[in-house]
Amino acid sequence: MARVPYLTSRLQGFGTSIFAEMSALAVKTGALNLGQGFPDTDGPTEVSEAAIAAIRAGANQYPPGPGTDDLREAVAEHQQRFWNLSFDPASEILITAGATEALAASLLGLCETGDEVVVFDPTYDSYAAGIALAGARMRGVLLRPPADGSGSFWFDEEELRRAFNPKTRLILLNTPHNPTGKVFTKEELTLVAELCQEHDVIAVTDEVYEHLLFDGRQHHSLAGLPGMADRTLTVSSGGKSFSFTGWKIGWACGPAPIVNAVKTAKQFLTFVNGAPFQPAIATGLRLGDDYFEQFTSDLQNKRDLLGGLLESAGFDVFQPEGTYFTTVDIRSVGATDSIDFCLGLPERAGVVAVPSAVFYQDQRDGQHLARFCFAKNDAMLADAGQRLVDAFGR
Ligand code: PMP
Ligand code: GLN
């Protein structure tokens, strides 16, 4: 690949993020955008009203470095209430510019040049770039699609064991997992926990879809497993849970020494962000259980609506266990290359999807997969689904 002028060697090979590229394609072609993951309706009014009230009340200057006291308390209450995890808001919680900054600051603050970071492959796109910026090396463990289309994406236990070695500094684990929709089971997390302890490795968990699990599945935080509380940093954000992805309020919770290391890097990235959105996300975190239950059940209905239409269009569908993304096998409609398929989809069907190949370390592992986002109003999902049926259905 040609060298990009001026760009640091650490970022050679990282072009424009696929999400920006596919959303631009949707705007250019007027196609329905099921690519980038964001909802097309605003989150709860109490939450947006809290942001407006905070602006009016003058919460417009730099908030405190680690985040407002109230938001850190709200995060602590939330972690206790939902996942039975205890954190001291004063020393064990850091507010960040979205989960993205929490992850980047973790990698920059915790890794030495040459350290290895274990990930499950495919990964969300910022992982590879964050690892490269930190001068570390990514060590992927492949998540394989279920053979018969139903069931979970899975990994080979031996491959995970082999990924851990004396150079391993941390494992970056995302559950529920983007893009596959996999929810890691307690047994799988127990194996990860054992390996972390055996090899003295830190775990950073990305739990931004913690409230999006379907069919009654339970979310498990790695930090809650025996022996993990003192070596796990739990990351999440308000973007997905409250449908305000543009506000970029995230957090990292863990033992004070780890949080401190991450804070040292974070303070030189953004320092702080989102003053009026911090109290608003605190309001969101304190909403009643009914909000979270309704949110999950609405998204489950959307998953089923889109999944049914994708099947009618002739796709083999991997129904996600969590997240708001559905993966399909494009070979079922005679396509072989997910990048070509997604670049041609606006013209062929008037719909935008994301080629899953770009999330894989070796793109060939995902070249037959494409990802559709279903966090959209039902009319749009029905329209997009019908377009796909018209374009591909027999
Ligand atoms: N992790 C995963 C797995 C994601 O899908 C996303 C996308 N929102 C992020 C992190 C980034 O979250 P935020 O917008 O809070 O930075
Ligand atoms: N997390 C979203 C996705 O996977 C997109 C976030 C972004 O655009 N960086 O689609």
Side-chain angles (χ1 to χ4, degrees), residues 103 106-107 110-111 116-120 127 131 137 139-141 155 160-161 163-164 167-174 184 188-189 191-197 200-206 222 228 231-235:
L103 298 171
S106 303
L107 293 161
L110 297 170
C111 291
E116 288 191 8
V117 176
V118 176
V119 297
F120 287 97
Y127 291 17
I131 292 168
R137 288 196 41 212
R139 190 69 195 246
V141 176
F155 61 89
L160 179 64
R161 287 185 186 281
F164 282 75
K167 287 194 170 155
T168 311
R169 173 62 165 165
L170 56 87
I171 179 167
L172 185 47
L173 182 143
N174 170 218
F184 283 78
E188 289 168 331
L189 294 175
L191 173 62
V192 171
E194 280 166 19
L195 289 168
C196 287
Q197 289 168 69
D200 194 17
V201 162
I202 300 169
V204 176
T205 63
D206 174 349
L222 189 63
M228 290 309 286
R231 60 173 68 248
T232 304
L233 188 76
T234 305
V235 169

Side-chain angles (χ1 to χ4, degrees), residues 60-80:
N60 300 308
Q61 310 308 330
Y62 299 129
T68 64
D69 289 353
D70 184 53
L71 177 55
R72 280 181 286 130
E73 270 155 31
V75 170
E77 288 162 23
H78 170 276
Q79 297 302 77
Q80 188 73 60

Side-chain angles (χ1 to χ4, degrees), residues 97-100 103 124 127 174 178 206 208-209 237 240 245 248:
T100 307
L103 298 171
Y124 177 59
Y127 291 17
N174 170 218
N178 179 12
D206 174 349
V208 298
Y209 299 100
S237 77
K240 312 290 160 170
T245 59
K248 300 294 282 190

Side-chain angles (χ1 to χ4, degrees), residues 8-250:
T8 170
S9 57
R10 289 186 299 284
L11 287 180
Q12 289 291 331
F14 291 94
T16 306
S17 134
I18 190 67
F19 305 119
E21 197 176 324
M22 298 316 284
S23 283
L25 186 65
V27 171
K28 190 169 133 205
T29 58
L32 298 175
N33 188 359
L34 304 191
Q36 189 177 25
F38 64 90
D40 64 350
T41 32
D42 283 343
T45 317
E46 301 97 295
V47 176
S48 46
E49 286 300 329
I52 293 163
I55 291 177
R56 295 219 164 95
N60 300 308
Q61 310 308 330
Y62 299 129
T68 64
D69 289 353
D70 184 53
L71 177 55
R72 280 181 286 130
E73 270 155 31
V75 170
E77 288 162 23
H78 170 276
Q79 297 302 77
Q80 188 73 60
R81 167 176 155 207
F82 287 100
W83 318 128
N84 201 24
L85 299 175
S86 304
F87 297 104
D88 170 16
S91 61
E92 296 182 328
I93 295 179
L94 174 68
I95 304 304
T96 56
T100 307
E101 189 196 34
L103 298 171
S106 303
L107 293 161
L108 292 168
L110 297 170
C111 291
E112 297 295 348
T113 305
D115 280 353
E116 288 191 8
V117 176
V118 176
V119 297
F120 287 97
D121 180 26
T123 62
Y124 177 59
D125 75 338
S126 81
Y127 291 17
I131 292 168
L133 280 172
R137 288 196 41 212
M138 182 155 101
R139 190 69 195 246
V141 176
L142 196 59
L143 289 177
R144 299 152 201 269
D148 64 354
S150 64
S152 279
F153 278 70
W154 59 282
F155 61 89
D156 178 55
E157 182 177 328
E158 281 315 307
E159 198 184 330
L160 179 64
R161 287 185 186 281
R162 279 198 307 273
F164 282 75
N165 67 70
K167 287 194 170 155
T168 311
R169 173 62 165 165
L170 56 87
I171 179 167
L172 185 47
L173 182 143
N174 170 218
T175 183
H177 182 266
N178 179 12
T180 64
K182 175 182 175 61
V183 169
F184 283 78
T185 63
K186 197 163 183 188
E187 290 67 37
E188 289 168 331
L189 294 175
T190 300
L191 173 62
V192 171
E194 280 166 19
L195 289 168
C196 287
Q197 289 168 69
E198 194 181 316
H199 296 270
D200 194 17
V201 162
I202 300 169
V204 176
T205 63
D206 174 349
E207 306 187 11
V208 298
Y209 299 100
E210 62 196 323
H211 290 293
L212 279 178
L213 285 80
F214 307 126
D215 309 313
R217 282 188 183 77
Q218 288 294 313
H219 173 68
H220 297 288
S221 264
L222 189 63
L225 295 190
M228 290 309 286
D230 60 0
R231 60 173 68 248
T232 304
L233 188 76
T234 305
V235 169
S236 190
S237 77
K240 312 290 160 170
S241 298
F242 306 112
S243 303
F244 290 112
T245 59
W247 289 8
K248 300 294 282 190
I249 300 296

